[in-house]
Amino acid sequence: MVVEAISEDLELKQRMFQCFDEACPARAVLASNTSGLSITAIAGATKRPKLVAGMHFWNPPHLIPLVEVIKGRQTADATARLLVDVSRRLGKRPILVRRDVPGFVGNRLQFAVLREALHLLDSGVASAEDIDTAMTAGPGIRYGLLGPLRTADLGGLDVFLAITKYLFADLCADREPPPLLADLVRRGRAGAKAGGGFYDYSPRDRKKLLAERDRVLLGFLRVLGGAPE
Ligand SMILES: NC(=O)c1ccc[n+]([C@@H]2O[C@H](COP(=O)([O-])OP(=O)(O)OC[C@H]3O[C@@H](n4cnc5c(N)ncnc54)[C@H](O)[C@@H]3O)[C@@H](O)[C@H]2O)c1
């Protein structure tokens, strides 16, 4: 099997898969680490779409256990099973994404939260720091163990249903890229790598934050029983 991880560009990946298709044995499985491009479109560049699937490692891949195995429209069940099995043997925690939807599962969840966080910040409900704390000191901790659905089970589905009745209508449902984010990027504030985004970072701050992230992630993983060797 081959796992491709070149730049996130559909045409480039299609050209690469065409090369793989010509160069690899006919029974070889071809997987893409794309974060959200269509697996069906990538597989369409080959003559073996049944043997093509997504295999999305989450960043940083040496620490984060999640691997999303994504079926394109023509991916065979056996291909998906093989990638789930290989991920497990690598010590990962794979999930099967049964349908090739944009963003798969992980990024859909992540970006639903980001859209609401940007909306809260833009409308002045809370500061960036307080919005981050609302997640890191609250639901984020529970999600790390339980995920959103088991969290709802523990809270009581009747209670969660009552909340959806008044809250869903008020949540951000924008369909365009958020102007707040576009404006930051336009002003060169593309995040920690650029010295600033929602917060400011010196090169030293960035190094410290990354080290702290890895230290805390390893601590979480040890407690949860999924720490890498
Ligand atoms: N960065 C992340 O957090 C992350 C997380 C999960 C998945 N991914 C996915 O992994 C892939 C790579 O992401 P990245 O952040 O490392 O991108 P990147 O642009 O930083 O790196 C891509 C690498 O691919 C190389 N490359 C480009 N075209 C090539 C070709 N034709 N042949 C050989 N090498 C080629 C480039 O030289 C570069 O080293 C993307 O599909 C991305 O969506 C990234």
Side-chain angles (χ1 to χ4, degrees), residues 54-77:
M55 191 179 193
H56 180 212
F57 288 78
W58 272 64
N59 208 27
H62 59 294
L63 290 178
I64 299 288
L66 179 62
V67 174
E68 294 178 293
V69 172
I70 306 105
K71 286 183 73 178
R73 206 173 297 141
Q74 296 186 64
T75 308
D77 288 342

Side-chain angles (χ1 to χ4, degrees), residues 1 5 10 31 34 49 68 72 83 87 92 114 129 192 226:
M1 63 175 281
L10 180 60
T34 176
E68 294 178 293
L83 295 184
S87 305
K92 296 292 177 190
L114 181 64
E129 227 159 50

Side-chain angles (χ1 to χ4, degrees), residues 75-97:
T75 308
D77 288 342
T79 302
R81 268 200 308 275
L82 173 80
L83 295 184
V84 166
D85 185 47
V86 168
S87 305
R88 280 211 188 97
R89 281 192 271 148
L90 290 172
K92 296 292 177 190
R93 286 185 62 192
I95 67 158
L96 177 64
V97 184

Side-chain angles (χ1 to χ4, degrees), residues 30-154:
L30 309 178
S32 174
N33 184 44
T34 176
S35 303
L37 292 173
S38 162
I39 302 303
T40 305
I42 294 172
T46 73
K47 294 189 185 76
R48 62 178 91 187
K50 287 183 180 168
L51 293 177
V52 177
M55 191 179 193
H56 180 212
F57 288 78
W58 272 64
N59 208 27
H62 59 294
L63 290 178
I64 299 288
L66 179 62
V67 174
E68 294 178 293
V69 172
I70 306 105
K71 286 183 73 178
R73 206 173 297 141
Q74 296 186 64
T75 308
D77 288 342
T79 302
R81 268 200 308 275
L82 173 80
L83 295 184
V84 166
D85 185 47
V86 168
S87 305
R88 280 211 188 97
R89 281 192 271 148
L90 290 172
K92 296 292 177 190
R93 286 185 62 192
I95 67 158
L96 177 64
V97 184
R98 294 188 198 123
R99 242 178 347 109
D100 187 12
V101 291
F104 312 138
V105 172
N107 266 326
R108 289 182 84 97
L109 295 173
Q110 175 168 248
F111 278 77
V113 170
L114 181 64
R115 179 164 66 179
E116 187 58 33
L118 288 166
H119 172 67
L120 290 168
L121 183 63
D122 204 25
S123 47
V125 173
S127 66
E129 227 159 50
D130 282 348
I131 292 168
D132 278 343
T133 303
M135 181 58 85
T136 58
I141 295 185
R142 295 194 306 210
Y143 283 171
L145 176 66
L146 301 168
L149 299 177
R150 220 184 290 273
T151 294
D153 263 353
L154 284 186

